[in-house]
Amino acid sequence: CLQKVDTFLHRSIGTNVVAAQSEATRKDESDEKEKDGRKSLYVVQAERQEQAEKSVLISCNSRTNEKKFLKHLSRHGDIKKHFFYESYGMYAVVEFVNQESVASLLEEAAIPSVSHESMVPFKSRLLSLRNVGSVASPNQQPGQQCQPQTTIPINELIQRLSREESIDQQITSLTEAYQLTEENSRLRFLVCSLLKDIAAAYFPECNIKPFGSSVNGFGKLGCDLDMFLDLDGISGRNIKMPKSGLCLEYQMKRANSERAVTQSILSVIGECVDQFGPGCAGVHKILNARCPLVRFAHQPSGFQCDLTTNNRVAMKSTELLYLYGELDPRVRCLVFTVRCWARAHGVTSSIPGAWITNFSLTVMVLFFLQRRSSPIIPTLDHLRDLAGPADKSVIEGNDCTFVSDFSKIQLHSNTETLEQLLCGFFEFYAAFPFSMKSINIRKGKEQNKPEVAPLHIQNPFENSLNVSKNVNATQLDRFVALCQESTWLLQKSETNTPTPTPWGLASLLLPSQVAGIKSRKKRRREPASERIKSLLESLKNKNEQKTS
Ligand code: CTP
Ligand code: MG
């Protein structure tokens, strides 16, 4: 990677040198930090991007013979890693050892011949495997094992959790079942890299990076893919004019505001994705939002994608959440559990509206962990105080500085179990004075509410913004009532032996029994008692199968 930075320095225009040098310095520093076993998000991103650039995505047949397939591809060079998955058909992700292999493979690929339709001749690393002139023999077995790219259904999860021996194990098991897999992470970076190839038609030095739950450590299989079109390398932000003498500068088109530039770039890239992007469908340009974006479905991966640009504060909050998640393993476990619980009860939703978002919920968990009598994670102000000169970051007037070196962060000793923390979370928010106080992870203390809103969570970096401005009183009341009910359920749950009846965390994921807080979604479905009955029935059947 350093070699790459070096090559970039040589061919780069002078204005970019400063940016490239500081990236290289950051990489050197990050290598140092890797020594304690934890990688900074910056290092993870760089590694994954490099893998993605050496990878291709191939649609193939479920009867494809894996051995033959790999033999065919390895004519272009050694393969480092490959895996298969299903998403409206079978796909393979193949990573080569060298990037030249990808070029060689693309050189050999054919243009499809179609008789009735015409095609946009845009070539990309999304390919199809054809078996010309041969018919798959009927006794051929479907060859490959597919890597799952979606989570297990909630009922299956409840069954799995019911078989665990403690609530702590249930929480760990839930996290393992829901978190992104190695393969899913690779696929996310590959989709960004494919998109970059489209955007590079206009901006050859651009980069497209994933942010949000795809990389912050709290992403669940199936979560959306938030992408950031990074034009910093060419935006001239880091220009250093010579003090005297001649100097050339680019003539560039001007616009009224940075927002107008963002909108026009996203509009054009969105149009390209729509018209030329293989596998991209349902493109919507949402340019009047506070943060303009292009939303579309990437069909081969099954990801719902949101492409933004000029969204550097969100990149910073992604980095912050990643750091908090890496500080103590209990952080990620608790966030996964609370997110899953909230989804099961319709506290969060995939449809935008007055619901609490996963991001808000994550900040609420972090705040709770800062409020323990022996805090599990430090405040953001403390992380800012620990920052070194290379960590300094001010974005649009907002101080986004915080330490990136894990070894500088001293944690309090806190030995609470996951069970205690989950109970504690529900108790904390069941009694939180939402009407008067605001949640603030920068200070790690509740603050007086600066404005009227049912739920006020201060944006960690843009202090005047409320992350949960969209939440209405009804949704907050449901959240509080569910916290009260869950506190009660956990207190009465004393079973410590695995049983087919949902217990502990599993019982918290069942439809709520409290009148008035039944989930919106579930009201339309069969009554809760029926669902529990069928769940118990299937657990019984499974147990019988196991013992027979
Ligand atoms: N973000 C932010 N302020 C907000 C909303 C979002 O800074 N009010 C940033 C956060 O870094 C967040 C990212 O944008 O992680 C993506 O937002 P979103 O997709 O809504 O949340 P995710 O964390 O990705 O969670 P999900 O799995 O629900 O997509
Ligand atoms: Mg997201």
Side-chain angles (χ1 to χ4, degrees):
C1 185
L2 268 181
Q3 200 184 351
K4 252 174 82 184
V5 173
D6 205 39
T7 323
F8 176 64
L9 276 174
H10 281 108
R11 71 180 160 83
S12 118
I13 47 174
T15 54
N16 280 329
V17 171
V18 177
Q21 274 170 342
S22 68
E23 293 266 290
T25 321
R26 222 176 143 185
K27 168 83 177 110
D28 282 346
E29 285 170 2
S30 301
D31 282 347
E32 279 298 303
K33 286 163 206 164
E34 249 183 82
K35 283 177 194 153
D36 85 341
R38 283 174 295 186
K39 295 176 183 174
S40 73
L41 183 57
Y42 178 77
V43 171
V44 175
Q45 295 246 22
E47 282 177 6
R48 290 265 182 233
Q49 278 190 344
E50 211 177 310
Q51 287 171 350
E53 274 164 32
K54 292 177 188 164
S55 301
V56 290
L57 182 52
I58 305 179
S59 154
C60 44
N61 190 301
S62 61
R63 294 190 177 278
T64 304
N65 181 307
E66 186 171 354
K67 236 176 157 178
K68 268 194 188 164
F69 173 66
L70 294 178
K71 195 171 161 214
H72 180 75
L73 295 186
S74 50
R75 291 178 301 117
H76 300 284
D78 292 340
I79 292 170
K80 190 160 181 191
K81 158 122 186 159
H82 77 280
F83 65 90
F84 293 92
Y85 69 91
E86 256 185 292
S87 161
Y88 305 106
M90 175 83 79
Y91 284 88
V93 172
V94 181
E95 185 201 341
F96 285 94
V97 173
N98 296 307
Q99 198 149 5
E100 297 78 61
S101 306
V102 175
S104 155
L105 177 143
L106 294 181
E107 189 79 11
E108 195 200 72
I111 302 278
S113 62
V114 280
S115 45
H116 301 300
E117 293 171 298
S118 300
M119 288 155 313
V120 179
F122 180 83
K123 291 176 171 180
S124 81
R125 282 176 287 142
L126 172 61
L127 302 142
S128 301
L129 182 72
R130 298 273 174 251
N131 197 355
V132 190
S134 82
V135 184
S137 63
N139 59 359
Q140 210 173 344
Q141 294 297 311
Q144 336 67 19
Q145 212 198 340
C146 278
Q147 298 296 327
Q149 306 301 322
T150 50
T151 51
I152 54 171
I154 185 85
N155 275 0
E156 212 175 293
L157 178 74
I158 292 173
Q159 290 176 21
R160 190 183 288 189
L161 300 187
S162 301
R163 292 193 293 270
E164 297 293 351
E165 288 181 5
S166 66
I167 292 182
D168 275 47
Q169 280 174 15
Q170 289 184 326
I171 295 175
T172 314
S173 172
L174 181 146
T175 308
E176 279 164 8
Y178 270 25
Q179 69 193 353
L180 300 186
T181 58
E182 158 74 22
E183 286 76 17
N184 194 266
S185 286
R186 280 172 174 266
L187 191 54
R188 284 171 189 271
F189 277 87
L190 177 51
V191 172
C192 287
S193 168
L194 295 176
L195 254 289
K196 187 188 102 169
D197 291 348
I198 298 177
Y202 288 98
F203 305 106
E205 288 152 285
C206 77
N207 197 355
I208 291 191
K209 297 172 178 166
F211 71 99
S213 59
S214 294
V215 282
N216 66 16
F218 301 119
K220 167 187 154 193
L221 280 173
C223 68
D224 67 357
L225 173 55
D226 302 297
M227 294 187 273
F228 170 68
L229 170 63
D230 188 354
L231 301 170
D232 258 10
I234 39 176
S235 68
R237 231 167 269 279
N238 303 302
I239 282 181
K240 269 217 176 126
M241 292 287 255
K243 290 217 171 73
S244 61
L246 296 179
C247 152
L248 287 175
E249 64 177 22
Y250 285 101
Q251 282 203 13
M252 284 177 168
K253 199 157 182 121
R254 281 153 209 255
N256 289 335
S257 64
E258 200 151 350
R259 181 173 168 84
V261 175
T262 300
Q263 286 170 328
S264 78
I265 291 172
L266 282 180
S267 174
V268 172
I269 302 295
E271 204 56 38
C272 268
V273 171
D274 192 19
Q275 306 287 333
F276 307 152
C280 301
V283 179
H284 288 285
K285 298 183 206 168
I286 310 169
L287 303 178
N288 286 324
R290 189 180 77 79
C291 179
L293 71 133
V294 175
R295 178 165 288 172
F296 60 95
H298 185 260
Q299 287 175 332
S301 61
F303 294 142
Q304 159 90 15
C305 303
D306 279 352
L307 177 67
T308 55
T309 185
N310 194 20
N311 193 11
R312 271 173 290 275
V313 179
M315 289 301 290
K316 270 303 193 193
S317 59
T318 300
E319 226 176 293
L320 179 69
L321 260 50
Y322 172 86
L323 181 109
Y324 275 131
E326 288 289 294
L327 284 181
D328 187 301
R330 290 172 294 182
V331 179
R332 290 183 64 241
C333 284
L334 206 63
V335 170
F336 270 100
T337 306
V338 171
R339 279 189 174 203
C340 175
W341 165 87
R343 192 72 175 89
H345 292 292
V347 167
T348 52
S349 165
S350 55
I351 312 157
W355 300 286
I356 299 176
T357 62
N358 274 331
F359 180 60
S360 297
L361 211 52
T362 307
V363 178
M364 289 171 92
V365 174
L366 297 178
F367 182 71
F368 158 74
L369 294 172
Q370 291 174 334
R371 298 297 290 138
R372 302 310 287 160
S373 54
S374 180
I376 292 185
I377 50 171
T379 66
L380 177 52
D381 271 348
H382 182 68
L383 294 178
R384 182 205 52 209
D385 295 343
L386 294 175
D391 297 322
K392 187 149 181 63
S393 164
V394 178
I395 301 169
E396 289 153 21
N398 300 300
D399 185 7
C400 300
T401 307
F402 60 92
V403 65
S404 60
D405 182 350
F406 288 105
S407 67
K408 285 191 191 161
I409 308 168
Q410 295 285 318
L411 298 176
H412 290 268
S413 114
N414 175 313
T415 53
E416 285 177 285
T417 63
L418 286 168
E419 177 178 351
Q420 286 166 331
L421 291 173
L422 187 63
C423 275
F425 174 86
F426 292 130
E427 274 169 26
F428 183 79
Y429 285 112
F432 190 83
F434 286 108
S435 61
M436 282 151 56
K437 299 289 181 188
S438 159
I439 289 164
N440 184 323
I441 59 165
R442 179 167 280 286
K443 302 267 170 247
K445 256 202 185 115
E446 43 264 40
Q447 309 281 299
N448 287 333
K449 255 191 198 180
E451 62 188 48
V452 193
L455 177 60
H456 195 281
I457 304 174
Q458 197 193 64
N459 187 308
F461 297 118
E462 292 168 285
N463 296 348
S464 60
L465 298 181
N466 174 10
V467 167
S468 54
K469 200 174 156 200
N470 62 313
V471 177
N472 66 18
T474 316
Q475 290 308 316
L476 179 65
D477 290 348
R478 283 191 72 243
F479 171 76
V480 173
L482 282 159
C483 283
Q484 288 163 351
E485 188 195 31
S486 297
T487 307
W488 175 76
L489 280 171
L490 280 178
Q491 277 165 2
K492 83 178 176 84
S493 170
E494 67 224 352
T495 329
N496 257 25
T497 46
T499 134
T501 319
W503 71 279
L505 174 57
S507 67
L508 297 192
L509 303 179
L510 293 172
S512 165
Q513 295 304 299
V514 179
I517 59 166
K518 286 193 178 140
S519 143
R520 288 164 282 109
K521 212 171 50 185
K522 275 147 204 162
R523 243 182 261 159
R524 269 182 273 124
R525 286 211 222 139
E526 57 196 322
S529 54
E530 284 300 310
R531 287 194 64 216
I532 298 172
K533 225 166 86 188
S534 75
L535 185 73
L536 286 173
E537 203 57 43
S538 67
L539 283 163
K540 212 172 104 200
N541 292 341
K542 275 234 155 140
N543 256 30
E544 276 163 7
Q545 275 170 19
K546 262 180 91 179
T547 47
S548 65

